[in-house]
Amino acid sequence: MKSIKSLSVIFMCFLVLSGACSNDNGSDPISGADDFQLEVSGNFQSTASGFADFDGMSSFGVNTWEISMNDNNPQSLSFQLMLTSSTSNVSRPSPGTYQVGFEPNSTSVFTAIYTHIPNGDFTASEEYSTLIEGYGGTLTISSSSDNKVEGSFNVILAKTDDNFNVTGEIEVVGEFTASRRMN
């Protein structure tokens, strides 16, 4: 009987501790701090926070370095700022202000893609990007190390139909502290 009470106490402690450590706002699960905050205006209005990370990879001759931001419970967005090149190596950028737009094989012009996931419904998601001429903005990196990249952004992105006609636009403004992605 004593072992059942001990197991019950251990189980209750586990539940209390896991509840105290849980987060349902998209925060970093280890520190409990939000890694990004952003505001969206245009086709829809939103404010969000969640976790941000960065990583670089090379696959099939394409080199990519990206900052990725996501929220959860429910997930309402996915936002990436990325450098992509099939002709040059791409690495973590130094502090500075960078153009966000679309320039194929650039190691200094970031592309942005924002996926709006209304009410966590992935089947109703809409993609906005800077892949259309005339859309973009700036990314300012205030600090950059092997384990952390910090900065802010202000970009205007377009949604297009199947014929690449612009059907909507949003402005996304925010700041982030991204940790190196754990693979």
Side-chain angles (χ1 to χ4, degrees):
M1 188 63 131
K2 188 174 183 178
S3 65
I4 292 175
K5 278 187 175 179
S6 296
L7 285 175
S8 295
V9 169
I10 291 170
F11 181 71
M12 291 302 290
C13 287
F14 173 77
L15 288 177
V16 169
L17 289 174
S18 65
C21 294
S22 73
N23 79 62
D24 57 3
N25 65 354
S27 301
D28 173 40
I30 296 170
S31 70
D34 289 335
D35 293 328
F36 80 88
Q37 300 81 39
L38 61 76
E39 292 185 25
V40 179
S41 59
N43 273 28
F44 63 93
Q45 280 69 48
S46 177
T47 58
S49 62
F51 63 92
D53 63 5
F54 68 88
D55 197 15
M57 66 178 275
S58 181
S59 183
F60 302 105
V62 177
N63 302 300
T64 303
W65 188 91
E66 75 172 8
I67 300 166
S68 182
M69 295 169 237
N70 297 279
D71 65 349
N72 62 19
N73 290 336
Q75 183 172 2
S76 68
L77 70 92
S78 177
F79 183 47
Q80 282 81 35
L81 294 158
M82 67 192 97
L83 296 170
T84 304
S85 178
S86 61
T87 60
S88 301
N89 288 330
V90 179
S91 59
R92 178 179 41 82
S94 302
T97 298
Y98 295 85
Q99 180 182 348
V100 179
F102 179 63
E103 185 175 314
N105 295 315
S106 178
T107 59
S108 63
V109 176
F110 283 78
T111 299
I113 298 175
Y114 185 104
T115 305
H116 173 55
I117 309 164
N119 302 313
D121 182 0
F122 286 88
T123 61
S125 63
E126 301 174 315
E127 185 174 284
Y128 294 79
S129 75
T130 59
L131 298 174
I132 300 296
E133 187 176 341
Y135 289 87
T138 57
L139 166 65
T140 300
I141 295 178
S142 54
S143 70
S144 177
S145 70
D146 287 343
N147 295 314
K148 187 186 295 187
V149 175
E150 296 178 285
S152 59
F153 49 86
N154 185 336
V155 295
I156 297 175
L157 303 103
K159 178 174 83 168
T160 60
D161 63 17
D162 292 339
N163 295 317
F164 302 104
N165 297 309
V166 174
T167 60
E169 69 179 40
I170 57 172
E171 180 176 16
V172 184
V173 177
E175 56 188 31
F176 64 91
T177 300
S179 300
R180 185 169 40 104
R181 186 171 300 148
M182 298 298 197
N183 293 327

